[in-house]
Amino acid sequence: MTPNLSTAALRIAIPIPLRQLYDYLPPVVCDPAKLRPGIRVKIPFQRREVIGILMEITTEPQVPWEKLKPVIDIIDSEPILTPDIWQLCLWAADYYHFPIGEVLISALPILLRQGKPPKLTKEIYWLLTSEGNTFDLTSIKRAPKQIELLKLLAKHPEGLTHKELRAYKFTKSILNNLAKKNLIASFGEHFARNKNPQKDPLILNAEQQDAVNAVLEKTNQFQAFLLDGITGSGKTEVYLQVIAEFLKQEKQVLVLVPEIGLTPQTIQRFRERFTEPVVALHSGLSEKERLNAWLTAKSGMAKIIIGTRSAIFTSFANLGLIIVDEEHDLSFKQQEGFRYHARDLAIMRSYFNQIPIILGSATPSLESLYNAQLKRYQHLCLPVRAGGAQLPQVNIIDICKTPLEQGLSPILLSEITKHLNQGDQVMLFLNRRGFAPVLMCHACGWMAICKRCDMRMTYHQQPRRLHCHHCDTHKQIATHCEGCGQKELLAVGQGTERLEQTLAKHYPNVSIGRIDRDSTQRKGSLEELLDKIQKNEYRILIGTQMLAKGHHFPHVTLVAIVDADGGFFSSDFRALERMGQLLLQVAGRAGRAEKPGKVVIQTHHPDHPLLHQLLRENYHQFAMSLLKEREQARLPPYVFFALFRAEAYDAHHATSFLKELKGITENSGMNIRILGPISAPMPRRAGRHRVQLLIQASQRPILQNLLKNLLPEIENIPNKHRVHWSIDVDPLEMF
Ligand code: ADP
Ligand code: ZN
Ligand code: ZN
């Protein structure tokens, strides 16, 4: 058939920040009737070649026919995104008011964004042979590296890739050596697969069983469940047993976890249970591995996909269930560019697919608790620790009148000594990395400030320098005061580095492990540290919130929160909720096995009523009090927010841009409240002044309508090209 060029144009979404689609002519040798929305095309755009996605075929292009350029290439014959992801992206672009081209493209692995074919490749996996499994290691005593490799593979019955083994510093010659002896062998596979799971399902307690039954009653319909279980109550066991039923029905399962929750231990817990392939999607993968993982899900081969935020956009052949673990975690919200909330998108996806979804947490977000109150979510509670482990005993230490040694009170030090003497592990939590948060002049009070952000720079000792945690600027440590010139500069306050130093002085013969962003920069170093903690090689653990979540440390009996005061004075209305969540998550690391645990909290506000409620009653009571406050103050989840942010080198540009925006909004006649423009809580970052405008509405549709009408108007604001602006629907942080 000869294509009729003058009757069909292709309307294409392009990944650029403009909220607009572009029309092109189909290639000459192509029947437009055969092209389906959702395929990738290569097109000329502003003297570049870009990859776009076909949205529709139209007979009425936006520009005259003779001005249309032809596309360069049609890449796919089939839509690259499954219909449900397509629907999810359209919904998300609409709800978050973000350009559809950028949304669709961000749903694809990088290699597909670049136009590469969706081709599945195999990896080489190394496994122990049956001889290797029964081999007597003492017979190769003089080859420690070989022994190490055999031991490692014994722990990974699903196999390890070349790349993973290289990360453990095993060379090709060691591999070949052992392969020659027939102790190990390699296979080409699409994914790691555990052929012999070693762990059987546990016998559930009554609450766990009720939770499993409740979900299994709704396997073929949309229903959201809030699995609200204290730390150690066995939520993961509930997930595993629910998943087992879905796998029996040949369905796939998506598990979303927070960024720092996706450790090898997490993946291992799933692999120990199931023979079905468990595939992880995380930031440590190479682009090829990521594409492969994505394709194994799309083809239906991978049965369980565990991933962080962006895994919500994975295509599946037959998705049956979504689980969002630690649903309250901030990392589910993307804080720049396409500002979506993966938990909220997961709810929408379950709804579109008509499948159940489980949101699990020991400290659910107020939004989810509110939805449970309204019966939108079915509330499943696990109020006791599974397997008989006891809840830790909590001591609050008033440090107002106590002499502190670098932030540590005498009571805390004696507790540490006691637990170390009993042979147990001790964990100290301090949510501040570096040596000290402030470098100050003793004579005049001058402080080292980042000139680009107007914020204090953190003093680091390893390596020695000043570091701005907001814009990543590094500076040599000043030798004298910039105010008065004298030489005595003091490091004020505690960071994790300093805490480590103080404890090393106190306990010179005790091994100390520190986990924060600085100590885990090298790839694989977090895994190494966690592994050593599991093996009880460190007796004292120090960490920031990286240490707080999800990990299971069986030997820890004492958890100390060195400074619990951070959340009391923040200008962010969510600060108390966050503080409560963090305190309980940290406290939840104590005494998770047979040994009872103890939690010590140092604070200047021992009588704060909410702190008491949190610790003496429970998270639920605490959350209910916060919800009541939010209702009275007309704050989310009772009202709905959208935040416009504007940044510019000249503060005036940002403010006048938002003033214009405010003017348009006020004329809309809609029932909304507008606050601002005001300076952001952090008024300057990396040299740019930051201003914001907050829009509040009592109903979601009112807010959505307003934004829909507002966005085209922004294009007409004269100085819009002088500012960086963005819109954040349901903002989680006001920074
Ligand atoms: P959560 O995810 O709620 O923090 P986990 O699922 O990690 O809790 O369970 C905590 C511990 O309790 C784990 O060691 C787990 O093996 C154990 N556990 C869970 N359920 C049971 C059960 N029904 N019987 C015995 N032990 C259990
Ligand atoms: Zn000075
Ligand atoms: Zn800075």
Side-chain angles (χ1 to χ4, degrees):
M1 176 185 145
T2 332
N4 188 343
L5 286 188
S6 63
T7 59
L10 309 184
R11 187 153 290 169
I12 290 165
I14 305 175
I16 51 166
L18 297 178
R19 290 164 174 80
Q20 177 185 349
L21 299 174
Y22 293 84
D23 294 341
Y24 285 82
L25 291 172
V28 188
V29 286
C30 156
D31 176 3
K34 287 201 178 134
L35 299 179
R36 294 175 47 201
I39 59 172
R40 292 173 298 161
V41 295
K42 192 191 277 179
I43 47 171
F45 185 78
Q46 295 175 346
R47 274 174 262 136
R48 288 179 299 148
E49 288 184 358
V50 302
I51 305 294
I53 296 199
L54 175 63
M55 298 299 292
E56 58 175 326
I57 295 168
T58 174
T59 51
E60 290 169 19
Q62 301 143 315
V63 292
W65 286 100
E66 60 275 13
K67 289 217 173 135
L68 293 182
K69 289 187 200 150
V71 309
I72 297 166
D73 198 9
I74 303 282
I75 299 172
D76 301 310
S77 50
E78 295 293 315
I80 193 77
L81 293 166
T82 48
D84 60 333
I85 295 291
W86 182 255
Q87 191 179 13
L88 187 70
C89 286
L90 294 185
W91 185 87
D94 196 53
Y95 184 79
Y96 293 109
H97 301 273
F98 205 67
I100 180 67
E102 298 210 272
V103 172
L104 287 169
I105 285 286
S106 64
L108 293 173
I110 302 255
L111 291 180
L112 295 182
R113 294 180 203 174
Q114 296 168 347
K116 302 271 175 4
K119 215 179 103 212
L120 200 56
T121 51
K122 287 190 172 174
E123 282 279 345
I124 303 292
Y125 284 88
W126 288 91
L127 294 109
L128 283 187
T129 59
S130 48
E131 276 173 58
N133 249 320
T134 51
F135 185 67
D136 176 16
L137 292 179
T138 53
S139 67
I140 49 169
K141 242 193 249 151
R142 269 175 300 159
K145 205 70 191 163
Q146 294 191 6
I147 295 181
E148 203 186 311
L149 177 60
L150 293 173
K151 279 188 176 164
L152 181 70
L153 286 179
K155 275 203 293 183
H156 288 274
E158 76 283 2
L160 287 171
T161 63
H162 252 308
K163 189 179 136 194
E164 287 165 328
L165 288 171
R166 258 203 313 276
Y168 282 107
K169 305 202 174 61
F170 292 111
T171 58
K172 252 202 182 116
S173 74
I174 296 176
L175 292 172
N176 290 339
N177 228 322
L178 288 173
K180 248 187 257 157
K181 295 184 197 160
N182 205 17
L183 298 177
I184 64 174
S186 62
F187 299 93
E189 294 257 24
H190 292 306
F191 31 64
R193 182 199 289 255
N194 181 10
K195 300 201 172 67
N196 308 299
Q198 313 89 317
K199 295 255 166 87
D200 290 330
L202 300 172
I203 296 176
L204 299 179
N205 63 33
E207 289 88 3
Q208 285 175 312
Q209 190 65 56
D210 287 347
V212 170
N213 293 347
V215 181
L216 295 183
E217 263 173 40
K218 307 267 170 76
T219 47
N220 288 311
Q221 66 190 79
F222 167 65
Q223 173 67 50
F225 296 92
L226 177 59
L227 182 61
D228 180 353
I230 61 170
T231 51
S233 59
K235 293 183 288 297
T236 311
E237 188 62 30
V238 170
Y239 303 152
L240 292 171
Q241 300 210 12
V242 170
I243 290 172
E245 291 304 314
F246 281 82
L247 295 180
K248 275 188 206 153
Q249 300 175 20
E250 302 278 310
K251 287 181 183 156
Q252 293 169 286
V253 178
L254 170 63
V255 183
L256 294 181
V257 296
E259 241 141 50
I260 48 187
L262 190 49
T263 58
Q265 280 97 327
T266 309
I267 302 164
Q268 203 57 24
R269 247 180 120 176
F270 286 81
R271 287 201 175 132
E272 279 169 358
R273 189 60 68 81
F274 301 115
T275 45
E276 286 84 355
V278 177
V279 171
L281 271 174
H282 55 84
S283 54
L285 298 181
S286 70
E287 289 314 326
K288 202 176 110 201
E289 291 167 329
R290 179 168 282 275
L291 174 61
N292 247 350
W294 195 85
L295 290 169
T296 55
K298 185 168 189 242
S299 68
M301 283 193 279
K303 296 301 175 195
I304 301 173
I305 291 278
I306 309 181
T308 48
R309 181 175 66 224
S310 63
I312 187 58
F313 293 110
T314 314
S315 285
F316 284 88
N318 188 18
L319 182 62
L321 170 72
I322 302 180
I323 293 170
V324 183
D325 191 27
E326 311 283 1
E327 66 87 29
H328 65 280
D329 196 274
L330 262 188
S331 71
F332 287 121
K333 171 87 196 248
Q334 176 135 306
Q335 303 278 19
E336 54 193 42
F338 173 25
R339 293 172 167 80
Y340 64 94
H341 199 306
R343 176 200 60 213
D344 298 348
L345 285 184
I347 297 274
M348 285 318 291
R349 185 166 186 185
S350 311
Y351 172 72
F352 292 144
N353 292 45
Q354 287 295 305
I355 57 171
I357 174 168
I358 307 175
L359 309 179
S361 176
T363 53
S365 63
L366 296 189
E367 279 78 5
S368 294
L369 282 171
Y370 181 57
N371 278 321
Q373 269 184 355
L374 296 180
K375 307 263 185 268
R376 287 193 195 132
Y377 299 170
Q378 199 171 324
H379 202 167
L380 308 171
C381 293
L382 305 179
V384 293
R385 281 198 158 177
Q390 292 164 18
L391 271 182
Q393 176 204 344
V394 180
N395 282 30
I396 300 179
I397 300 180
D398 178 358
I399 51 173
C400 284
K401 294 183 191 82
T402 315
L404 298 182
E405 185 185 339
Q406 303 298 356
L408 301 174
S409 62
I411 306 180
L412 176 54
L413 282 167
S414 77
E415 281 292 339
I416 296 175
T417 309
K418 191 172 114 197
H419 283 258
L420 289 175
N421 286 344
Q422 287 166 6
D424 295 325
Q425 259 175 349
V426 169
M427 190 174 120
L428 287 97
F429 173 80
L430 180 62
N431 214 8
R432 240 181 345 243
R433 65 198 170 93
F435 187 79
V438 185
L439 185 68
M440 191 165 76
C441 169
H442 190 48
C444 74
W446 168 89
M447 286 182 269
I449 299 282
C450 170
K451 296 206 165 53
R452 307 173 70 209
C453 303
D454 303 330
M455 303 293 267
R456 289 174 195 152
M457 295 189 89
T458 302
Y459 172 53
H460 285 252
Q461 281 204 330
Q462 309 155 355
R464 253 179 84 78
R465 65 186 181 195
L466 292 169
H467 185 189
C468 173
H469 290 176
H470 304 285
C471 71
D472 211 27
T473 297
H474 300 221
K475 237 170 75 173
Q476 273 198 335
I477 291 177
T479 50
H480 52 264
C481 169
E482 287 178 21
C484 69
Q486 73 90 28
K487 287 189 179 154
E488 198 182 340
L489 298 181
L490 300 176
V492 183
Q494 272 78 38
T496 45
E497 278 183 6
R498 187 173 224 169
L499 192 56
E500 182 178 11
Q501 203 180 71
T502 309
L503 288 164
K505 249 186 242 152
H506 254 272
Y507 306 103
N509 301 318
V510 173
S511 55
I512 301 178
R514 194 184 92 221
I515 294 196
D516 56 28
R517 222 167 346 131
D518 299 309
S519 71
T520 55
Q521 251 179 6
R522 189 172 46 79
K523 229 177 164 180
S525 51
L526 175 61
E527 286 76 52
E528 266 170 47
L529 278 163
L530 289 173
D531 194 49
K532 284 192 176 163
I533 296 174
Q534 297 292 334
K535 290 186 188 142
N536 213 352
E537 284 180 28
Y538 292 122
R539 306 289 312 291
I540 299 179
L541 321 175
I542 296 171
T544 57
Q545 58 177 342
M546 292 186 83
L547 204 54
K549 292 180 201 166
H551 308 300
H552 191 65
F553 301 131
H555 308 290
V556 170
T557 55
L558 175 67
V559 167
I561 294 162
V562 177
D563 176 5
D565 296 341
F568 290 127
F569 304 107
S570 171
S571 60
D572 188 335
F573 71 87
R574 283 193 172 87
L576 271 173
E577 176 188 358
R578 299 254 162 74
M579 189 188 75
Q581 288 165 344
L582 197 56
L583 284 188
L584 286 195
Q585 296 283 347
V586 175
R589 302 307 115 208
R592 283 170 62 99
E594 307 78 50
K595 298 176 187 168
K598 183 160 194 175
V599 177
V600 171
I601 298 179
Q602 298 196 137
T603 173
H604 288 96
H605 308 277
D607 299 321
H608 196 289
L610 282 169
L611 183 66
H612 273 264
Q613 197 168 27
L614 179 67
L615 299 171
R616 302 270 181 258
E617 296 174 37
N618 57 36
Y619 180 76
H620 206 253
Q621 305 287 338
F622 167 78
M624 288 305 127
S625 299
L626 289 182
L627 269 176
K628 211 172 276 161
E629 283 184 13
R630 298 261 186 103
E631 186 174 16
Q632 280 159 2
R634 303 307 294 155
L635 289 167
Y638 296 92
V639 296
F640 301 91
F641 278 4
L643 187 67
F644 280 94
R645 295 187 178 90
E647 294 188 4
Y649 288 109
D650 182 342
H652 169 73
H653 290 315
T655 309
S656 72
F657 171 81
L658 289 181
K659 275 193 182 143
E660 292 260 358
L661 199 66
K662 183 176 184 173
I664 305 170
T665 318
E666 279 169 339
N667 290 333
S668 70
M670 287 197 207
N671 185 13
I672 45 157
R673 270 181 70 192
I674 311 167
L675 291 172
I678 54 163
S679 286
M682 200 185 143
R684 206 158 74 96
R685 176 142 143 198
R688 286 209 189 101
H689 292 272
R690 312 165 78 238
V691 186
Q692 57 191 34
L693 187 73
L694 184 68
I695 301 185
Q696 309 184 359
S698 56
Q699 283 162 17
R700 239 189 256 280
I702 295 180
L703 187 64
Q704 285 293 332
N705 255 331
L706 173 87
L707 296 176
K708 211 162 278 163
N709 296 333
L710 198 55
L711 282 164
E713 304 264 359
I714 293 180
E715 304 301 325
N716 304 326
I717 297 181
N719 77 344
K720 82 165 202 302
H721 58 275
R722 292 179 195 256
V723 298
H724 273 251
W725 68 272
S726 64
I727 174 171
D728 193 347
V729 178
D730 306 331
L732 274 190
E733 286 186 306
M734 302 293 181
F735 55 88

